[in-house]
Amino acid sequence: MGAGAMFLTGCGSSTSAQLNSILNDEYKDTYKMNIDEEDLASEATIFASVDGAVSSVLTPEASGKKVEENQKMIIDYSNTSDGYVMAQYKKDTTKKIKCQIEGPTGITYTFNLTPTVYATLPLSEGDGDYKITVYENISGTSYATVGSVTTSVKLTDAMAPFLTPNQYVNYTDKTKCVEKAAILCKGMDDELEKVNAVYAWTLEHFRYSFFKAATVQSGYVPDLDEVYDAGKGICFDYASTMLAMLRSQNIPTKLVIGYSGSNY
């Protein structure tokens, strides 16, 4: 049986007065979180009842076996059984490009696409029918459909979507935090022991950046090597780093982004 973990990225919200104080006081960057072993153990057993079947760092690919394509975009859904699709807006443009994935539960996930670059997007709702749609901005908040495809997904493993790199957790076996995970977890067989080691290292290595939290732009996605070198960041940076480290150790880990009450 495989252990697993789930990490939240939410950083809360601040008042205008608090933000002004943050922007004028970089000293507040020394904030650290406390380690709660009981909470960690609870998170780490969320997926304990589901087998994880992958034993190496995975590399998503657009293999071209199943493709929906037109002059502007391409959706490669050749590897849905492994828990992901790949999408690309083929033309260079300054327009905002988005891709939405609607899963079998009816929840819609929205991702930003970088023109001419393939994005790996997770199918995190399990087995069932998915609709993948690429949109381009036409004015203001209005978007036009560029192309879409609907496909039925049967995963080879229920944890597959939580074991591969994707747009929000983008890493290879050469990513610095992945190499660090290999050092930290060397000789460990117990998955919870690995989770503890990664968790403790992350909180020791990083400081929380209130300045970044107050100034980060919409659509931000962590560059894990930059975050590693900086040694500080926001909740998204912490979570994405830990996911890359744990997934590279074959521990299925889920990223949760959204709202808790009124706080994102």
Side-chain angles (χ1 to χ4, degrees), residues 124-175:
S124 54
E125 299 271 306
D127 295 345
D129 292 336
Y130 287 79
K131 183 178 182 180
I132 304 103
T133 308
V134 175
Y135 298 93
E136 64 180 355
N137 183 256
I138 52 177
S139 67
T141 58
S142 298
Y143 284 79
T145 300
V146 179
S148 68
V149 65
T150 299
T151 184
S152 183
V153 173
K154 177 66 176 177
L155 297 172
T156 55
D157 186 279
M159 289 294 98
F162 312 117
L163 284 165
T164 55
N166 59 45
Q167 187 185 47
Y168 286 163
V169 191
N170 191 9
Y171 64 93
T172 70
D173 58 354
K174 301 300 183 183
T175 302

Side-chain angles (χ1 to χ4, degrees), residues 95-118:
K95 295 179 181 179
K96 293 181 179 178
I97 308 298
K98 296 184 181 291
C99 183
Q100 288 191 334
I101 297 181
E102 182 180 354
T105 67
I107 297 174
T108 299
Y109 298 86
T110 302
F111 304 89
N112 295 315
L113 298 186
T114 299
T116 73
V117 177
Y118 261 119

